[in-house]
Amino acid sequence: LKLFVSHESTARLRSITSQTQRRRGEMDVMRRSASKQSPAWRGQFRSQFKKTKMCRFYPAGACNFGKDCSFAHDAKELSQAPDLTKTSMCQAFAAGRCPLPLDVCPYAHSEDELRVTPAFVAKKLSRRTREAPALDSSATQGMA
């Protein structure tokens, strides 16, 4: 049995493989940079998401955490998740490969674009918030 594979199919497969390898490389960079953060920073980051989703175990009476559960047990407990757009640098842009325009890409393309969430304004756990004398409203916009 002889299979016929067109030149176009081979080229398409190479393109998909190349894109996948690039994405894996970008994910590795993001994982390495996230692991460099202190335990206090990681805890502060995670705390922003407390009670932003409903507990899937509570309705069935299977939540073992009670009032200490990180998830909301009723609609009154729900809070809004933070807006994380432009809170980290675009790895694809840094590598010269971001296909998205500046206003569409969810990541910052320059230091001037970077912003912080309210949790990091209150606690100076990142170099950016420690070094900034006072954050103006543009650095924290959309974070209420």
Side-chain angles (χ1 to χ4, degrees):
L1 177 69
K2 189 174 184 179
L3 293 175
F4 175 75
V5 178
S6 72
H7 184 66
E8 290 176 7
S9 297
T10 305
R12 175 92 173 113
L13 182 59
R14 283 187 186 133
S15 172
I16 291 169
T17 303
S18 174
Q19 290 172 359
T20 302
Q21 289 171 342
R22 254 195 319 248
R23 287 186 186 129
R24 283 185 185 146
E26 290 168 5
M27 291 300 291
D28 288 343
V29 168
M30 287 189 284
R31 276 189 215 106
R32 282 191 300 263
S33 65
S35 66
K36 294 178 186 177
Q37 304 299 338
S38 71
W41 186 96
R42 288 192 301 271
Q44 188 67 22
F45 182 80
R46 278 190 224 110
S47 74
Q48 299 177 99
F49 298 97
K50 191 171 185 170
K51 309 277 186 193
T52 58
K53 292 183 179 180
M54 295 297 289
C55 177
R56 65 183 179 149
F57 299 104
Y58 184 75
C63 180
N64 295 326
F65 297 101
K67 65 178 180 153
D68 295 327
C69 184
S70 294
F71 296 91
H73 287 171
D74 63 45
K76 293 178 208 159
E77 284 186 321
L78 273 175
S79 59
Q80 189 164 356
D83 176 13
L84 298 178
T85 57
K86 309 287 185 188
T87 58
S88 61
M89 294 298 290
C90 178
Q91 300 296 323
F93 182 79
R97 299 192 293 260
C98 185
L100 301 173
L102 184 70
D103 59 332
V104 175
C105 184
Y107 301 99
H109 286 188
S110 71
E111 291 282 331
D112 293 339
E113 271 191 289
L114 281 173
R115 43 183 288 286
V116 294
T117 61
F120 287 92
V121 172
K123 290 196 175 190
K124 308 285 187 189
L125 294 174
S126 71
R127 185 182 73 224
R128 200 171 0 144
T129 56
R130 284 193 304 270
E131 292 174 356
L135 293 170
D136 62 9
S137 61
S138 66
T140 58
Q141 81 183 49
M143 295 191 306

